[in-house]
Amino acid sequence: MLNNANILAKNKPELASEILTKLDDLLCYQINDSTRDKVYLSADIAFLRDFLDLEKTRRDEFEYTISKEGDINNVQVAPLLFIPFVENAIKHNHNHEGLSYVHLSFSVHQNILKFCCVNSVAPEEEQEEVKKVGGLGLANIQRRLDLLYKDNYMLTQSKTDVAYTLNLELKL
């Protein structure tokens, strides 16, 4: 991101400044808020929005949406709880042949937080390249959820030829 801002500084200084501001916000959140036991869901969502905005500056054919339903302002969650899902969605959706997307939704009703992450799926040949690297992301997320929420969560995943969907339900 710093390299992107450096390149844009000469021809598009406003965009370079925007990138640096978002990067500053991301780093401050990671350094300051990630040390807390709980953070407001709205702050975690703002972090995700900045992260996805920065990703959008790197890729021409990338879109995202974030939807919210219910009273999210008073909900607290473990810090950086959702970023591994979003990073995973970014990593596995890079489609060189067309538009890539990530759609996030947060819903809070009756002390239940529902999070859904839907992302485009890269063509099979591109997926094979990604599979050769890593593969521990979701297992690590599952362990973290076990430690933080024990039996108070449900995580499900599904995949089609065009989309991957992850649903997380937390009892607050």
Side-chain angles (χ1 to χ4, degrees), residues 10 26-27 34 51 56 59-60 66 78 85 102 106 123 129:
K10 192 175 216 177
L26 285 175
L27 294 173
S34 68
F51 179 82
K56 192 163 176 55
R59 294 167 46 184
D60 293 330
I66 299 176
F85 299 118
V102 173
F106 296 87
E129 289 300 316

Side-chain angles (χ1 to χ4, degrees), residues 40-42 45 68-75 106-108:
Y40 284 103
L41 176 59
S42 56
I45 292 172
K68 300 170 270 189
E69 185 179 311
D71 183 17
I72 65 160
N73 294 325
N74 295 319
V75 173
F106 296 87
S107 172
V108 177

Side-chain angles (χ1 to χ4, degrees), residues 2-130:
L2 288 174
N3 191 42
N4 284 351
N6 187 36
I7 291 168
L8 292 169
K10 192 175 216 177
N11 297 329
K12 296 181 181 179
E14 300 86 16
L15 184 55
S17 178
E18 186 179 318
I19 287 171
L20 292 173
T21 300
K22 287 187 185 302
L23 190 55
D24 179 55
D25 291 345
L26 285 175
L27 294 173
C28 285
Y29 185 79
Q30 287 179 306
I31 291 168
N32 298 324
D33 292 345
S34 68
T35 60
R36 298 181 180 148
D37 289 337
K38 300 270 184 174
V39 295
Y40 284 103
L41 176 59
S42 56
D44 222 44
I45 292 172
F47 173 81
L48 295 172
R49 183 177 310 282
D50 284 344
F51 179 82
L52 289 166
D53 279 344
L54 289 174
E55 184 63 27
K56 192 163 176 55
T57 64
R58 292 180 53 226
R59 294 167 46 184
D60 293 330
E61 298 292 322
F62 176 74
E63 292 182 359
Y64 77 89
T65 59
I66 299 176
S67 65
K68 300 170 270 189
E69 185 179 311
D71 183 17
I72 65 160
N73 294 325
N74 295 319
V75 173
Q76 291 188 329
V77 295
L80 304 170
L81 183 64
F82 305 102
I83 191 65
F85 299 118
V86 177
E87 287 174 333
N88 208 43
I90 296 289
K91 177 181 176 182
H92 293 284
N93 86 349
H94 199 359
N95 185 345
H96 295 290
E97 298 174 9
L99 181 67
S100 297
Y101 62 85
V102 173
H103 301 302
L104 307 178
S105 66
F106 296 87
S107 172
V108 177
H109 296 287
Q110 299 177 346
N111 288 331
I112 302 285
L113 167 60
K114 293 181 181 179
F115 167 71
C116 180
C117 178
V118 180
N119 61 271
S120 54
V121 175
E124 285 297 321
E125 61 273 5
E126 291 180 30
Q127 289 179 34
E128 290 304 317
E129 289 300 316
V130 172

